[in-house]
Amino acid sequence: MDIVIRTVRPEDLDQVTAVEAECFPAAEAAGRKDFERRINTFPDSFLIAERAGQLIGFINGCVTDEAFICDEMYEDEAFHKDTGAYQSVFGLDVIPEERNQGIAALLMRALMEKARKDGRKGMILTCKERLIHYYEKFGYVNHGISKSVHGNVVWYDMRLEFGEH
C-alpha cells in the first residue's frame, strides 16, 4: 500500500477541514477554527494519511486524564494534558473514494502505537451504534450510551485499556 502516515502540519488546515466536511454531517463536523486549535494544541496526536502527496484521511484527538469523552473536550484545549492517561479520538476520517481499503485501520493502529509508546493507559472515543463492532476489533470495550450529545446524535463510549491487551 502506498500510504504515508505522518503528523499534521499547519499547512494541512484547509485539506483537513475539507475532508471533515466530506466525511461528517454539518452538525457533527469540526470546523476550520476547531482544526486550527487542534493543530496548534496537539499536533503530535493528529495523524494524516496521504497517497501520492494527497491527504486522504486523518485521525485526531487530545490527550487527557478523562476516562470518557465529554462534549467540552471538542471546544476547550484545557482538557489536553501532554502527560494524560488517555489518548482520545475525536475523529477518524477517510474520504469516500478511499474507504474499505484499510486506511482507517492504518490510522487507528498508528495512533494506538504512538499512545502506547508515549506511556498512555489507553484510548477513548465515542461512536455511533453501527460502528461499535468496528472499534471492538481493535480491543475497544463498549461502555454504553455516552453523555455526549454532540450533533444531537446518540453516541457510545468506547475505551481501550492497553494493560488488558
Side-chain angles (χ1 to χ4, degrees):
M1 200 181 285
D2 55 344
I3 305 295
V4 174
I5 306 290
R6 64 168 175 81
T7 304
V8 73
R9 298 187 288 250
E11 58 267 26
D12 295 320
L13 179 59
D14 289 338
Q15 284 186 73
V16 164
T17 304
V19 167
E20 177 86 349
E22 193 174 357
C23 292
F24 284 93
E28 299 169 32
R32 182 181 172 83
K33 289 215 179 300
D34 297 313
F35 284 121
E36 193 169 29
R37 188 173 57 253
R38 292 176 190 183
I39 289 168
N40 289 331
T41 305
F42 48 83
D44 291 340
S45 55
F46 197 135
L47 304 179
I48 301 291
E50 286 182 329
R51 184 192 304 271
Q54 184 66 35
L55 193 151
I56 59 170
F58 62 87
I59 189 169
N60 75 100
C62 73
V63 176
T64 184
D65 283 325
E66 303 296 318
F68 295 104
I69 289 181
C70 64
D71 288 341
E72 294 79 14
M73 283 183 185
Y74 298 113
E75 308 285 327
D76 186 354
E77 58 273 2
F79 279 93
H80 175 73
K81 309 269 188 258
D82 286 331
T83 60
Y86 290 97
Q87 171 65 61
S88 71
V89 177
F90 288 170
L92 175 55
D93 299 42
V94 175
I95 60 173
E97 57 270 24
E98 295 284 349
R99 290 182 185 159
N100 302 310
Q101 298 178 46
I103 296 164
L106 274 178
L107 284 162
M108 178 60 74
R109 285 192 193 101
L111 192 58
M112 287 169 66
E113 184 179 315
K114 183 181 181 336
R116 273 194 180 100
K117 189 180 78 179
D118 291 346
R120 307 289 173 232
K121 182 177 177 181
M123 293 180 62
I124 58 174
L125 59 84
T126 59
C127 70
K128 295 175 183 166
E129 186 173 23
R130 66 182 168 78
L131 292 171
I132 291 170
H133 73 281
Y134 178 76
Y135 292 110
E136 286 175 339
K137 292 178 193 176
F138 295 99
Y140 284 85
V141 174
N142 177 8
H143 288 269
I145 294 176
S146 175
K147 291 179 183 168
S148 173
V149 293
H150 179 72
N152 292 318
V153 173
V154 175
W155 299 98
Y156 288 79
D157 283 321
M158 304 292 288
R159 188 169 63 217
L160 167 64
E161 298 285 348
F162 292 144
E164 298 171 4
H165 301 280

